[in-house]
Amino acid sequence: MTSSRWPGLRGSCAVIAPVLLAACATVGHSTAVVPPLVEWQGVPSGPAAVAWSPDGATLAVARPQGVVLLDVRSGRSRSVSGPGAIAVDWAPAASLLVVERDAAGGRAVAIDPATGERRVLRSAAALVAARWLHAEMGWLAVASTREVRSYGTEATLTLTVETGRGPAELHRWSAVLPTKDPAADVALGWAAARPNPIDHSLLLPQFRKPPMFPPHVQIVGLDPFDAQPLEIARIELGLWTATVTWSPDGRRAAFSAADGTLRILERDSDVKAPTGAGRGLHPSWRPGGDVLFLGGWLVTPDAAPLRKLLDRAPDALGFWSPAGDRLAVAVGGKLFVFGDLSLPPTDADGERRRGAARAASWELGSLRSQGLLAPEVYRERRGRLREQGTEAP
Amino acid sequence: MISPICLAALLVAAASFPEGRGGAQSCQPCHTKETRGIVRVWAESAHGLAKIGCAECHGADGRRNHPSDGSRAKVDAVACRRCHPRAAAQHAASKHGIGSRAGQACTRKAAGAARSEAACAACHEPGSAVPREQAECARFLAQTPAMQRQGCTACHAVETRCDTCHGAHRTERALARDPGTCATCHMGPDHAQYEMWKTSRHGTAYAVKGLAEAPDCATCHMPDGTHDVSQGISMDLAGKAYPAERRERERARMIDVCARCHTRGFAGRQLADGDAVQKESKALVDEAVSIVRDLDRLGLLEPAPASRPPHPLSGAQLELGPQMLYENLSRPEAILFRMKKFSYVTAYKGVFHQNPDYAHWYGNAPLKLALSELRSEAALLRKLRLLEERLEAAPSSGPAAGADAALRKELRELRERRLRGEIDDAALERGQRDALERAGR
């Protein structure tokens, strides 16, 4: 059984024998079943390698040659940063946040996509991903270090937050992993983590290993304003990477690891292992929360397959446009952009409501981070905003 | 070490071990050379004199009796029960034996358990060395294998092994009864019963006059030779209350023992004082638990429970119950651990063992000092947090932008009043809620 401890999000889930779909992903090449708007080569398949512009017209792609902006209607592209881009995020206010790494080290850079103007935010060799926080009011950075030893790999992940007062470490995880593979991706789950659409909190998967307890992935919830990590759930898996993504309404999270099984962590409910046949390594919610992209398929939150987009793509990473009408997929070094997916329009009113709750939640967080609200008062109001962000008008 | 030739001869002989009361003659050829001391003390023991042979206790399985890893051929209490059923039943009913039936000791016993798949599966996942989730002793699980063997199992083997007290081959009652045998485990900061008794009037009289005029451990805890060492103890482990009926029954049993030397009234009053001290001390521990829980709620424990290696049973959450660890704790938790595990126990057990100095200066005083320290630590941590937050509240700080200036001013004033001690935490929270309501937040 899997246990969960989080006020409002309790869970349990049966143990499922790992089926290493990642291995399958290396067999053969992914091909599009539905004709894509754009198909590109040479795209790394990191969880932060692709970002949509706020208007959904342009894709930013982090590539070894630099960040490339791709106009998905015309297919035209242009470079806006120097070489070594490994992660990119695009703020609603239009700035790009790029993590670059080259021989000189790593750095997080804010780039104006219109002018190409660069501003180095921070230099740190171990940076692997960075995300904007609420309309560029701050940003999060994930750093990853690892050393291969005779007994395994010593890995450490660090999450820092920057809100104008200098970087502050929010959370750190370290472990000796049972692998000596220097290419093992230990940071995937953290690099893929995006802030909750309502309350800006993060879900971070952490592998916990024997012999003190059975191997499991511990999902830790972290609020940038109230840095007391909480165990959200435990999922019994002997795998050290997993992807957890918030649903657009911030009430649910989708979890998947290399065993390919989708699990839904629901607030005020149990962790569910949906019964549908959909499988994949990286679930991605469509804005609106009615559909997920998973392993080359569009599936329901119950993992019931709706439509196949790609063949042989269990490890495909999906990136939905803000309006949910386009989907970019990175897999096997290729980028596919799908346009006509015959999906209903997303709920614009709902998005406005969530936007208001998101802004209020940020303001509340700012009061908390300045010590003007007691933790209990802050958590109580934050819970109320979560409800406001999701309830029907 | 047994020579290979000798071992081979023994294994051949083991196949034809005589049944029943014999077996010694098959073992003796090697063991009189290899483990001379063992054979000698066995020959001098009641077992030896009664011709109870090796196979009677060890069984006739020569391979099992000579484990390939060189470990000892241990004898389980089950073997002793065949001839000593009454003592074994009393032992099983007591706290010495109850761990087996409660399942709280399954992993502790694993080191001595039969090496069968079923025995392994009691504690480990099938076909794996990974402990099962239902392993119920966190402090055991958190130790290295060497410490598990030497620091845990060495005492807790008493649950299934009679030789823990009686010795493996001499099995002499005088040795088992000697208070030094009890002291092997019943000493030290977690429960200093031996030291309490030894430096009490009972212990002093025993040292001078012996058993004829003074009690040892067994006099009070094993009256009339019972192996139910919990008889007469009116509370469960760690001072946990028994149901009233059981409590009264056990208390009456202990007073019967005391009444062999003292008046019933005197004995009753002494033991009632022990009850009172236990309850008073427990209230102090409860307050400490509540302080630590509150600090956790406020995020003031460093390291936070979710930031440290998870508790083997409870996971990444605060664990202050019987399974509390002493590793990776914050300072408030470390203070609490010493309070509940050392001082609290010492305070009331000091009274029950008639040792005023242990009750007061090793129990009561450290308990109250620690609580004072904890209260002060909690107050400092709260104040530190407020000051830290005030320092961070620079006007230029990023996330501050956008919040209502009047609301911010009101909340700041509330915080200042709290720092000056004009309002308490509850009033601060009330004020903050009111301010948010008025601002429409």
Side-chain angles (χ1 to χ4, degrees), chain A residues 1-3 5 137-138 162-165 168 170-173 206 208-216 218 220-221 225-231 234 236 360 362-381 384-385 388, chain B residues 125 129-133 138 141-142 295-300 304-317 325 385-386 389-390 392-404 407-408 411-412 415 428-430 432-434 436-437 441:
Chain A
M1 290 297 287
T2 294
S3 63
R5 299 177 188 283
M137 297 293 281
E162 170 73 71
T163 53
R165 295 195 297 266
L170 268 183
H171 195 54
R172 178 185 287 256
W173 164 86
Q206 298 183 165
R208 296 290 185 188
K209 69 187 186 70
M212 262 179 83
F213 21 70
H216 64 271
Q218 178 191 33
V220 169
F225 302 109
D226 187 22
Q228 187 183 10
L230 280 177
E231 181 179 271
R234 288 190 203 185
E236 292 180 2
W362 183 266
E363 184 183 336
L364 198 69
S366 79
L367 294 173
R368 170 70 199 125
S369 70
Q370 294 202 321
L372 295 174
L373 290 181
E376 285 296 302
V377 177
Y378 167 68
R379 288 168 200 161
E380 170 193 302
R381 298 285 153 159
R384 197 186 290 185
L385 284 171
Q388 286 173 6
Chain B
E125 296 293 346
V130 176
R132 289 182 63 166
E133 252 194 355
L141 288 169
L295 291 175
D296 180 51
R297 184 181 62 85
L298 295 169
L300 293 176
S307 301
R308 54 181 91 149
H311 186 279
L313 304 178
S314 315
Q317 62 165 340
L325 296 177
R385 169 60 61 86
L386 284 168
E389 290 172 343
R390 184 162 66 170
E392 284 184 359
S396 61
S397 58
D404 181 277
L407 171 64
R408 192 174 299 277
L411 293 173
R412 208 168 272 144
R415 187 177 59 190
L428 174 72
E429 292 186 9
R430 249 191 336 269
Q432 290 174 346
R433 287 190 181 94
D434 291 345
L436 287 170
E437 288 296 334
R441 302 295 199 286

Side-chain angles (χ1 to χ4, degrees), chain A residues 47-58:
Chain A
V50 178
W52 282 95
S53 64
D55 63 3
T58 311

Side-chain angles (χ1 to χ4, degrees), chain B residues 289-308:
Chain B
V289 167
S290 140
I291 289 171
V292 175
R293 287 204 188 288
D294 204 40
L295 291 175
D296 180 51
R297 184 181 62 85
L298 295 169
L300 293 176
L301 297 181
E302 180 66 42
S307 301
R308 54 181 91 149

Side-chain angles (χ1 to χ4, degrees), chain A residues 288-340:
Chain A
D290 50 346
V291 173
L292 292 110
F293 173 76
L294 179 71
W297 285 75
L298 298 181
V299 301
T300 68
D302 292 326
L306 292 173
R307 191 173 179 191
K308 188 178 190 180
L309 303 182
L310 291 158
D311 254 339
R312 296 188 298 276
D315 59 342
L317 287 146
F319 305 87
W320 290 93
S321 66
D325 56 344
R326 290 180 181 136
L327 173 68
V329 178
V331 61
K334 294 181 190 172
L335 180 75
F336 301 92
V337 183
F338 297 98
D340 181 20

